Every structure is written in C-alpha cells, then in structure tokens.
Amino acid sequence: MISRITINTPVLFQDALPDSVDVVIIGGGVIGIFSALYLARRGKKVIVCEKGRIAGEQSSRNWGWIRQHGRDEAEVPIATQALSLWHEINEETNGACGVKTTGVQYLASTESEMQKLEEWLDIAHKYDIPTRRLTGDEVFTSFGGQSTNKWVGGTLTENDAKGEPWQAVPSVAKFAHEKGVLIRENCAVRALDIEAGVLKAVVTEAGTIKTEQAILAAGAWSSLFARAHDINIPQLCVKSSVLQTQEMPDFHAPNSTDEKLALRRRDDGGFTLAVSDGHDFYLGPDAFRHFASYLEVMKDSFADTSFHLAAPRDFPDAWGIARSWPKEGPSPFEACRVLEPEPNRKFLKLMQERWSERFPKLEKVQIKEAWAGMIDAMPDVVPIVDRVPHLQGLIVATGMSGHGFGIGPGMGMAIAKMICGEAVDHDMSRFRFNRFSDGSRLIMGPAL
Ligand SMILES: Cc1cc2nc3c(=O)[nH]c(=O)nc-3n(C[C@H](O)[C@H](O)[C@H](O)COP(=O)(O)OP(=O)(O)OC[C@H]3O[C@@H](n4cnc5c(N)ncnc54)[C@H](O)[C@@H]3O)c2cc1C
C-alpha cells in the first residue's frame, strides 16, 4: 500500500558520494528530480542530495493537480509542456505516477466571481488551451448530479490532469536512478565552496563533492541556505492543510475549486480536500525582513491568513534557527530531515462542513489521513528559475509558490537545457533572479 512520506519512511537511495560530478542538485523534490533526469539524458553525471526523503516535503504533500488552468501567462507554455512530460513519464514508469486526464475546473458562486474567472479565457485562447466557460447546469453534471449546490458556472480546462503525489516523484526518482542519476537521502548539503565568485564544490554532511554546477531546489529551505552565502531570496512560507477522505461513490469529478473548497478524486477512491481560502503563517525574522515585498500579495490574502507569533522549533524561519553555521556542521538542515507541520484542525473541520454543504446526498467526510505542507512563496507568486548573477555555477530554482508539482517537469527541462547551454524552449525572463532588486515593478501572478 502506498502511504504518506514521513521521517519514518525507509531510506531508499544511499549512493556512495562521488569525488566529483557535473552537477549537484540540492533537494529531492519534483524540481530536483526532474532536473536530474533530463540532465542524465543529456549525458551529465548528476547527484541529488536530499536531507531527508525524496519528495518528503511539498512534492508529496500537495493536492496532485497538474494544471495549465489559471496560470500566470509566462508559465502557461511551460505548464503545457509539463503536462505532456507528465504523461510521458507516467508511461515510462508503467502508470506509477497516477497521471490521468481529469480536467481542472474553477467554480463561481456569484456573477462577479464568474467574471473574474472569465478573465483567464483570453490567455487560454491565446495559447490554444482547451478551456471553456461552464454553465451552472454543466457544473451540476460534472459532479454526476451528486451536488445540490448552486454554482452560477465556472471555467474548465479539459486536458488538465492529476497525479498521485505520494507515488509520483518517488517513482520518477526510481526511474532516474535506473538511468544513472545518483541519489543520496539523509544527506544534507551544508554549504557551497566558492572561490572568487566561482562555485568549486558542494559540502554535504557525508563529505565534499567537486563540481562546477549546482542547482538550489530546496523548496522551503532555499532562502535560509542562500542567505548563508549572501544571496538574498525574498521567499516566505505558508502552511497549507489537507485531508484524505474515506472511499466515496465513484463519480468522475474534475479537480475542482470554488472560493471555499478544493477537491480531487484519488485513485484509492477517496478525495483529497482542502480549503481554498485559508492558510497559516508563522512570524519570524524573514517575515519582517521581507515585509515590504509582500504588501501587494497581502492585500488579497490577509483575510485568509491565520497568523502565529512563532514557527515550531527547527522550521525554516523559526526565531531560534541558526542563520550561519560552520561547514563542518551540523546545519539546520540535519535538524529537520522532513518538514512535517501539524495540519490546522480548524481548517480540517471546515473541509468536512463544506463538503456536506455541497454534497448533502453523500456520506459525511471521515478523516482517513490529514497532513500539511509548507508552501514556499515569492512576493509575485511566480518562481525564480535563473542563474545567480554574482555566483558562477549556481542556478536557483525555487519559490514555486504553491503550483510547482504540475509544472515541475517543464521547469526541470528548462533547467537541464540552461545547464547544457541549449536554447530553452520558453521565455524565462519572468522568473529571473534579479527582478526583486533591479528596480522593476512587481507584476503579480494569480493567487491559486
Ligand atoms: C498542501 C499543498 C498543496 C499543493 N497543491 C499543488 C497542486 O495541486 N499542484 C501543484 O502544481 N502544486 C501544488 N503544490 C505546490 C507543490 O507541491 C510545490 O510547488 C512543489 O512540490 C515544490 O517542489 P520543490 O522541488 O521546489 O520543493 P520540495 O518538494 O519542497 O522539495 C525540496 C526538497 O529539498 C530538500 N532540502 C532542503 N534543503 C536541503 C539541503 N540543504 N540539503 C539537501 N536537501 C535539502 C527538502 O528536504 C525537500 O525534500 C502544493 C503544495 C502544498 C504544500
């Protein structure tokens, strides 16, 4: 049986540390693993160093939506490519990633919400994404007639898909490993060895690896790691809570969200549920340091945020966490092998209530499993995927801002091409490293 990835999940990858490689990847989430796979396919010798378990953090804790729907325009072509790469890898892994075409629909309870949703249709048409407006009756049909809720309508992207996050990235890692990618779990990267602004080696808790190229794909930990090397990434984390229901009758709902509830049908017959209007935020030094950068995003999300005065010990922006440490270690990354926040019980209860309001004919939700993940966000809600200008050899690929699972293979492909000096298929200027410091105006991406 496939289960959630925690600190108790057995270690599967323990490759010996090589003396040198072409590329070291810091972090074994969806971004690190797909970058590794596509680099190995280009003949590069690669090692993924993961402080805990492959996909132990966001990459197994997410909702599993693989969507083009509603994305920032600059992400759309990458998401379309990612969708086709997800189908490809799913075939190569004999369906182990659980990728299926489900469609993604955003639903509106009021006419003004509907107008907001329709704004994205122009982008869909520009990029030939099969997205259309839904009437209230079509929404009713999309739930197999099981809901009595009155939505005024929605928007649907028909070829969007889902994967099963507990299986998907670990299965890709296994496949990449078979293709020659070295992977080492329980192997925190402590620091970079830099000489005159040039990367020379990566220092891990198991030893040092000589390399000229590294990718920082450390999710919620990227900013802490980077800052210890005088690299400023204005990244903050929010906690998002999720629950898995018991088995439910078999109606084929697309991945759906309205203003309050998000749901996805799971292969095990249950649903993954989350509230779409609530998350937790822990105050810490970075929250104050980056406060001004987040004023714009706060305008929309303030009411949806539950603030807490301090993060639990060992969390990325905890008050007491070390901000610098010797290369000989230990580092904060070893103290928290797998970031496993407690889900917010208030939100879990809301999920149960909102399910019952929308599907009164169906049985009440029992909580089969509940968990949370720390989403690494950027001030404009789009990632950084770029070389660090003042550190030759380092690419930062982080701040996926709550939508990196679906786009992961596309970003991995772009990163692999950057490293190999090939032309990248997409305009990546929106994701440039310097955009928060070069005086450019902040252009907000869509929140969900
Ligand atoms: C509740 C929730 C729901 C979401 N739903 C969706 C969705 O439906 N669709 C979607 O597209 N996206 C979704 N996301 C977002 C998506 O999961 C993330 O954007 C994506 O997984 C980020 O991948 P990553 O590889 O950048 O980071 P992660 O998956 O967080 O991986 C980073 C890894 O780096 C490791 N690491 C950190 N520091 C070090 C170090 N110093 N040395 C070694 N290893 C290190 C960590 O242990 C971790 O495993 C959701 C996220 C959450 C939390």
Side-chain angles (χ1 to χ4, degrees), residues 27-63:
V30 66
I31 301 300
I33 292 297
F34 273 103
S35 303
L37 174 63
Y38 298 136
L39 281 164
R41 284 196 173 148
R42 286 166 169 72
K44 295 289 180 197
K45 185 174 178 190
V46 187
I47 184 164
V48 178
C49 297
E50 165 52 54
K51 69 178 170 58
R53 302 293 180 277
I54 291 299
E57 299 194 347
Q58 295 173 84
S59 293
S60 64
R61 290 163 186 269
N62 61 70
W63 302 349

Side-chain angles (χ1 to χ4, degrees), residues 126-147:
K126 183 168 166 190
Y127 292 91
D128 277 337
I129 312 293
T131 304
R132 64 188 174 86
R133 192 186 193 286
L134 296 173
T135 63
D137 283 348
E138 285 172 310
V139 176
F140 175 78
T141 310
S142 77
F143 290 125
Q146 296 289 350
S147 177

Side-chain angles (χ1 to χ4, degrees), residues 1 23 33 79 113 137 167 169 174 181 188 203 228 235-236 250 384 408 410 415-416 428-429:
M1 198 191 74
V23 188
I33 292 297
E113 283 298 330
D137 283 348
Q167 299 163 217
V169 175
K174 187 164 166 278
V181 171
V203 182
Q235 177 190 44
L236 294 177
D250 187 15
I384 293 180
I415 294 162
M428 301 294 284
S429 56

